[in-house]
């Protein structure tokens, strides 16, 4: 079997269009980290992030014969696809949004949530570097809501803020993280 790991994205895309699965594997290894960082700024949860990244590469596989590469890198196409999939996931999440569970229902899942948060910390270390650059209160809001998974209400109680204030700080911080991802990829 031929080694395609040094091939350019255009060559790998052509191989993928011919059904060569190895090309998908190489493209995934080459670009999954960047797509994951970009998706992290767009996703509402870790589960959504995993689905968005997976669906981005599935879409690449399915549509490889239709893709026209305008640059030497496949990243712009992957980022655009990731953004559309994240928007779709956000709309789906909004349609299916349920009321918050009482605290008693969440207690059984706390150890699992902590393990998931620990895994996310290891895989996406760069996010913490960007969060560390935020103002102290914004940093703490991000840690509670985006990393530890607390609701806006829970974070508001911990910090002594109103729920709208926490929500606004999360939205503003996510926008900053998106800019950092875009700057990092450029």
């Amino acid at each position: 079997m031929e080694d395609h790991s040094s091939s350019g994205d255009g060559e790998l895309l052509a191989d993928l269009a011919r059904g060569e699965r190895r090309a998908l594997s190489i493209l995934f290894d080459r670009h999954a980290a960047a797509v994951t960082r970009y998706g992290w700024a767009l996703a509402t949860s870790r589960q959504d992030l995993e689905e968005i990244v997976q669906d981005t590469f599935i879409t690449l596989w399915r549509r490889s014969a239709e893709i026209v590469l305008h640059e030497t890198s496949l990243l712009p196409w992957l980022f655009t696809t990731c953004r559309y999939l994240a928007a779709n996931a956000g709309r789906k999440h909004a349609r299916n949004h349920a009321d918050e569970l009482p605290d008693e229902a969440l207690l059984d899942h706390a150890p699992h949530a902590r393990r998931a948060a620990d895994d996310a910390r290891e895989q996406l270390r760069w996010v913490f570097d960007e969060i560390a650059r935020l103002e102290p209160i914004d940093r703490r809001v991000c840690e509670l809501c985006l990393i530890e998974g607390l609701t806006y209400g829970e974070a508001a109680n911990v910090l002594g803020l109103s729920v709208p204030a926490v929500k606004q700080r999360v939205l503003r911080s996510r926008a900053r993280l998106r800019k950092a991802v875009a700057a990092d990829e450029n």
Side-chain angles (χ1 to χ4, degrees):
M1 178 163 234
E2 215 176 314
D3 178 22
H4 295 287
S5 59
S6 62
S7 299
D9 285 1
E11 294 172 66
L12 290 168
L13 183 60
D15 292 344
L16 189 59
R18 287 190 298 274
E20 292 186 29
R21 291 183 181 183
R22 177 84 174 118
L24 180 62
S25 175
I26 294 168
L27 287 168
F28 181 84
D29 290 345
R30 187 176 290 174
H31 298 302
V35 173
T36 300
R37 285 192 306 269
Y38 183 74
W40 182 257
L42 303 172
T44 57
S45 70
R46 179 174 169 78
Q47 180 180 355
D48 284 347
L49 171 64
E50 291 170 356
E51 289 180 20
I52 291 165
V53 172
Q54 177 182 352
D55 289 348
T56 298
F57 283 94
I58 288 171
T59 302
L60 171 63
W61 172 258
R62 290 182 180 157
R63 299 194 57 205
S64 59
E66 305 165 21
I67 299 170
V68 176
L69 201 58
H70 296 286
E71 298 179 18
T72 58
S73 175
L74 194 55
L75 271 177
W77 186 92
L78 290 169
F79 287 160
T80 300
T81 302
C82 181
R83 186 174 61 244
Y84 286 132
L85 292 168
N88 289 344
R91 285 190 289 274
K92 180 181 175 186
H93 179 71
R95 278 193 310 268
N96 298 328
H97 180 70
D99 292 334
E100 290 183 23
L101 292 173
D103 289 341
E104 302 81 43
L106 297 174
L107 291 177
D108 292 337
H109 301 290
H112 174 68
R114 279 191 211 104
R115 277 194 306 278
D118 289 344
D119 291 344
R121 282 185 187 102
E122 289 305 313
Q123 293 176 1
L124 300 171
R125 179 59 53 196
W126 72 272
V127 173
F128 290 101
D129 294 339
E130 292 302 324
I131 289 173
R133 292 184 181 111
L134 297 172
E135 295 296 324
I137 189 70
D138 290 338
R139 181 173 48 245
R140 187 67 180 132
V141 167
C142 283
E143 290 169 352
L144 292 173
C145 294
L146 301 180
I147 297 169
E148 296 181 23
L150 269 62
T151 65
Y152 294 147
E154 292 168 332
N157 286 337
V158 169
L159 299 170
L161 299 172
S162 68
V163 172
V166 170
K167 185 175 182 180
Q168 182 61 35
R169 289 180 181 280
V170 168
L171 292 173
R172 186 174 53 226
S173 296
R174 280 188 181 205
R176 288 180 186 159
L177 290 172
R178 279 189 204 101
K179 286 180 184 178
V181 167
D184 182 56
E185 296 310 324
N186 291 329

